[in-house]
Amino acid sequence: MLTTTEQRLTAIRQWLAQHNIDALLVPHEDEYLGEYVPAHNERLHWLTGFTGSAGAAVITQEKAAIFVDGRYTVQVTKQVPSELFEYRHLIEEPALDWIQTHLNSGGSVAIDPRMHNSAWLEAAQSKLAGKIELTILDSNPIDQLWHDRPTPVISDVRLMATESVGQSSESKRQEIAQLVTKAGGDAAVITALDSVCWLLNVRGLDVSRLPVLLSHAIIHADSSVEFFLDPARLSDDFASHVGSGVTVHHPDSLQARVEALSGKKVLLDPSTSNAWFKLVLQNSGATVISAADPCLMPKAAKNEVEIAGMKACHIRDGVAMCKFLTWLDAEVAANNLHDEAILSDKLESFRQQDPSLMDLSFDTISAAGGNAAMCHYNHENQPEPGKLELNTLYLVDSGGQYLDGTTDITRTVAIGQPTNEMINQFTLALKGHIGVARARFPKGTRGYQIDTLARQHLWAEGYDYDHGTGHGVGHFLSVHEGPASISKKQIDVPITKGMVLSNEPGYYRADAFGIRIENLELVVETETNGDFPVLSFESLTRCPIDVRNINVDMLTRPELKWLNDYHQKVWDDISPLVEGEVKQWLETATQPLAHC
């Protein structure tokens, strides 16, 4: 009897034969190209059983392969049958390279242009030119074969009052329209879900962990906007909420409205928009201007109302974290060494005590011992969750989506007595964290110029970590917000006042332990005695850093002062909101440290 995966693989191969196509490429991404894919768009999961957040599969008549990165090399072997799929590394052997190896010259590979951005499509066409025919599909075969497809989540549309976001939709649209005009455009197609929601001051919960609506928008140079969402989902006061100049269209009319841009100069972000948009625009006679989403920079620079909300939600989030860490220390002292799932659920229960919590901001990374060495570990993707053990480290990376902001925090907690090696590596990572937190830099500085501050102490000892140091964070929007970041990648985006970025250096020893220390940082302007003001970071996160993991004598006086000052701020903001054993725990956790 055939398994479900075998049946689906057979159905795809029958489709290939019927259409005289040699291969089908199935990425994890959906048509919105967002970080999170709703259940009804998990096409790669439907085909293979793989639940990871990144990957792709290629199906031919004779072979099939699944491509994942280093985060999922273990997971893929447990979820995807090896007798049906070859396992390949997404970075070391990209899907297109595998296709070129396994298809004869003149063969064809089909893609759904909605599942790839336009920059990828251009690169693929160039790479395969004269070797493999790239067949652009009008419809996705998986959509035709997926008979038990989940019903899309239709969440309530939340209208965000101007007083809660700091700028009216009309004002935002005028600002963005000016940017469109400045770039030489008559219109811009806005495809990033958080950009659409930011522009119209709306939120939803159509996608788990991301407070957005599955929608698109077209903004014109006169600041009018076409919003593509089922009108039946909108309340009667939507029109007064957004102001004049916004028309609502059913998503079924998207292609017709995009084609109506014929003869116009249209801005399209090649990295955030799917290739289908560019193809339709070009076929309709529009001139496509490849340019960054004009909402990105204004959205990233938080206004005073958004900043106030981010500060407030971080204090409440800090209360939840302190309650959790108090409970955790008590459980470990009682030798109740829980598994990762229980710990994750317990932390979520503390966050849920806040009525303004709408969702988590991502799936909690709850990682005990050696599991924490996988920096994007997810206990839900394991046969069974790991369990705490004495004299190890526990890493918990978590966050919440609150009505007034988004949080993201990682704490690495001593379970019993950490080893000298664990303490040494934690302190090196902490020195890097403090280096970023204390940084001062001129306007125009890029994230890659700051990244060295986070790694320098690890580098000096021959260590490093294989992920970025920081990502942008939205205001009750995406926990991973572009366009700025702090990483080795030379991304040419300046860090500007009002941005919120994570600061999360770490260290990972395979099969042994993992360390990460993450706060969110607000970019602020600081007056100097020099010729110009500089930018610096203000830590938003309010939760102690586990001093049991620190070798104080490895810290310089300025570093130790920063740590003590930070813990004083945590005490000042959190202690009035907690009592009893939580307050006692907090007092101990924030006691000033001194060199021996």
Side-chain angles (χ1 to χ4, degrees):
M1 183 175 179
L2 294 178
T3 65
T4 300
T5 303
E6 285 177 300
Q7 291 172 340
R8 293 171 178 175
L9 205 53
T10 298
I12 292 295
R13 285 178 169 144
Q14 290 173 347
W15 179 90
L16 289 171
Q18 291 168 2
H19 293 81
N20 196 29
I21 292 171
D22 297 303
L24 174 68
L25 173 58
V26 181
H28 176 260
E29 289 77 13
D30 70 353
E31 51 265 50
Y32 299 98
L33 300 186
E35 179 181 4
Y36 301 108
V37 176
H40 72 281
N41 283 343
E42 284 277 8
R43 297 174 177 90
L44 184 64
H45 174 242
W46 175 87
L47 176 62
T48 66
F50 177 64
T51 61
S53 63
V58 178
I59 315 302
T60 73
Q61 286 293 357
E62 293 78 29
K63 292 181 177 291
I66 185 164
F67 302 78
V68 299
D69 62 29
R71 293 174 291 172
Y72 299 115
T73 51
V74 175
Q75 178 181 325
V76 72
T77 64
K78 298 174 180 178
Q79 294 182 326
V80 182
S82 60
E83 64 272 19
L84 300 179
F85 287 87
E86 299 177 7
Y87 306 135
R88 291 291 180 262
H89 196 287
L90 188 64
I91 309 302
E92 296 172 2
E93 185 182 9
L96 291 180
D97 289 355
W98 187 92
I99 288 169
Q100 285 184 302
T101 300
H102 288 80
L103 288 190
N104 296 324
S105 181
S108 60
V109 57
I111 65 135
D112 182 340
R114 299 174 302 156
M115 309 296 128
H116 306 272
N117 66 38
S118 55
W120 179 92
L121 179 58
E122 286 187 14
Q125 289 172 326
S126 175
K127 186 180 186 74
L128 301 179
K131 305 169 187 174
I132 305 292
E133 179 185 353
L134 198 60
T135 302
I136 307 297
L137 299 175
D138 293 325
S139 61
N140 195 304
I142 290 178
D143 294 350
Q144 301 166 27
L145 298 168
W146 194 352
H147 303 303
D148 58 347
R149 189 173 184 177
T151 303
V153 173
I154 306 297
S155 64
D156 292 336
V157 177
R158 183 180 293 275
L159 307 182
M160 303 293 290
T162 300
E163 53 265 28
S164 68
V165 294
Q167 186 180 6
S168 70
S169 175
E170 278 190 293
S171 173
K172 289 179 179 180
R173 297 197 308 272
Q174 291 169 1
E175 178 182 355
I176 300 305
Q178 290 176 358
L179 294 175
V180 171
T181 301
K182 186 177 180 180
D186 301 308
V189 179
I190 308 298
T191 62
L193 298 176
D194 57 339
S195 289
V196 175
C197 288
W198 174 85
L199 183 65
L200 297 175
N201 286 344
V202 294
R203 302 289 190 273
L205 292 172
D206 287 3
V207 183
S208 176
R209 313 313 192 202
L210 186 63
V212 298
L213 302 162
L214 295 176
S215 57
H216 293 102
I218 299 172
I219 183 167
H220 298 270
D222 63 0
S223 79
S224 65
V225 164
E226 298 179 69
F227 180 36
F228 296 89
L229 186 79
D230 184 352
R233 297 182 61 181
L234 297 172
S235 60
D236 293 339
D237 51 354
F238 174 78
S240 60
H241 167 74
V242 293
S244 61
V246 177
T247 56
V248 182
H249 303 272
H250 194 280
D252 290 346
S253 66
L254 179 62
Q255 179 166 347
R257 297 308 306 160
V258 173
E259 290 173 341
L261 295 172
S262 175
K264 304 282 189 180
K265 297 177 181 177
V266 183
L267 268 62
L268 196 64
D269 191 324
S271 61
T272 63
S273 64
N274 71 56
W276 176 88
F277 282 100
K278 185 173 183 179
L279 294 172
V280 173
L281 286 167
Q282 289 177 330
N283 291 338
S284 302
T287 300
V288 176
I289 300 175
S290 292
D293 177 345
C295 297
L296 290 183
M297 289 297 285
K299 173 167 56 67
K302 311 297 182 286
N303 59 49
E304 292 304 316
V305 172
E306 292 172 320
I307 290 170
M310 293 292 274
K311 290 182 176 181
C313 75
H314 274 83
I315 291 174
R316 302 195 308 277
D317 196 71
V319 169
M321 282 295 303
C322 289
K323 288 180 177 179
F324 169 71
L325 293 174
T326 300
W327 171 84
L328 176 58
D329 274 2
E331 291 295 288
V332 172
N335 205 34
N336 295 325
L337 302 178
H338 298 292
D339 69 40
E340 297 159 337
I342 291 174
L343 297 170
S344 176
D345 291 344
K346 190 67 175 181
L347 175 53
E348 183 173 357
S349 74
F350 284 122
R351 279 199 170 95
Q352 287 174 340
Q353 293 176 9
D354 186 334
S356 72
L357 181 77
M358 297 292 101
D359 196 359
L360 300 183
S361 53
F362 54 96
D363 292 335
T364 298
I365 298 173
S366 175
N371 289 337
M374 297 177 276
C375 59
H376 292 95
Y377 175 78
N378 187 334
H379 65 273
E380 294 181 348
N381 292 333
Q382 306 304 312
E384 59 182 43
K387 194 173 182 180
L388 295 179
E389 295 180 8
L390 284 177
N391 305 325
T392 62
L393 298 175
Y394 168 63
L395 185 152
V396 57
D397 187 348
S398 65
Q401 290 287 5
Y402 298 90
L403 286 172
D404 52 352
T406 301
T407 67
D408 183 1
I409 172 176
T410 306
R411 288 296 180 262
T412 304
V413 185
I415 305 300
Q417 177 58 48
T419 66
N420 289 337
E421 182 187 24
M422 293 172 184
I423 290 173
N424 185 77
Q425 300 305 103
F426 185 95
T427 308
L428 291 175
L430 175 62
K431 288 169 72 70
H433 178 96
I434 295 172
V436 172
R438 295 183 65 242
R440 290 191 172 192
F441 47 95
K443 293 178 181 179
T445 298
R446 271 58 175 167
Y448 62 84
Q449 296 172 291
I450 293 174
D451 184 73
T452 302
L453 299 175
R455 301 178 193 269
Q456 59 180 323
H457 304 287
L458 287 162
W459 281 349
E461 301 294 330
Y463 304 115
D464 201 358
Y465 52 92
D466 191 20
H467 59 75
T469 297
H471 55 81
V473 178
H475 173 259
F476 187 31
L477 277 173
S478 177
V479 74
H480 295 140
E481 178 180 78
S485 69
I486 302 174
S487 75
K488 295 178 181 178
K489 295 179 180 178
Q490 296 191 10
I491 298 173
D492 191 21
V493 175
I495 294 176
T496 62
K497 178 181 176 183
M499 285 182 173
V500 173
L501 295 161
S502 68
N503 171 9
E504 48 183 310
Y507 176 77
Y508 308 90
R509 177 66 54 83
D511 302 319
F513 61 89
I515 292 163
R516 190 158 62 251
I517 307 163
E518 178 186 18
N519 283 355
L520 296 192
E521 312 279 0
L522 172 68
V523 182
V524 297
E525 193 172 276
T526 302
E527 292 299 323
T528 68
N529 294 323
D531 297 328
F532 58 86
V534 299
L535 298 177
S536 60
F537 292 119
E538 176 185 331
S539 297
L540 296 175
T541 306
R542 291 292 183 264
C543 179
I545 295 168
D546 196 338
V547 297
R548 296 170 296 189
N549 296 328
I550 301 173
N551 180 349
V552 177
D553 292 331
M554 289 174 60
L555 300 180
T556 64
R557 285 191 178 89
E559 289 169 344
L560 183 58
K561 182 179 186 305
W562 179 92
L563 181 65
N564 287 333
D565 287 349
Y566 174 71
H567 279 159
Q568 185 63 50
K569 292 172 187 174
V570 173
W571 170 259
D572 291 344
D573 286 341
I574 302 299
S575 63
L577 304 175
V578 296
E579 55 188 18
E581 61 182 4
V582 179
K583 194 163 190 171
Q584 292 173 5
W585 176 90
L586 181 65
E587 185 173 13
T588 300
T590 57
Q591 283 293 310
L593 300 180
H595 290 117
C596 296

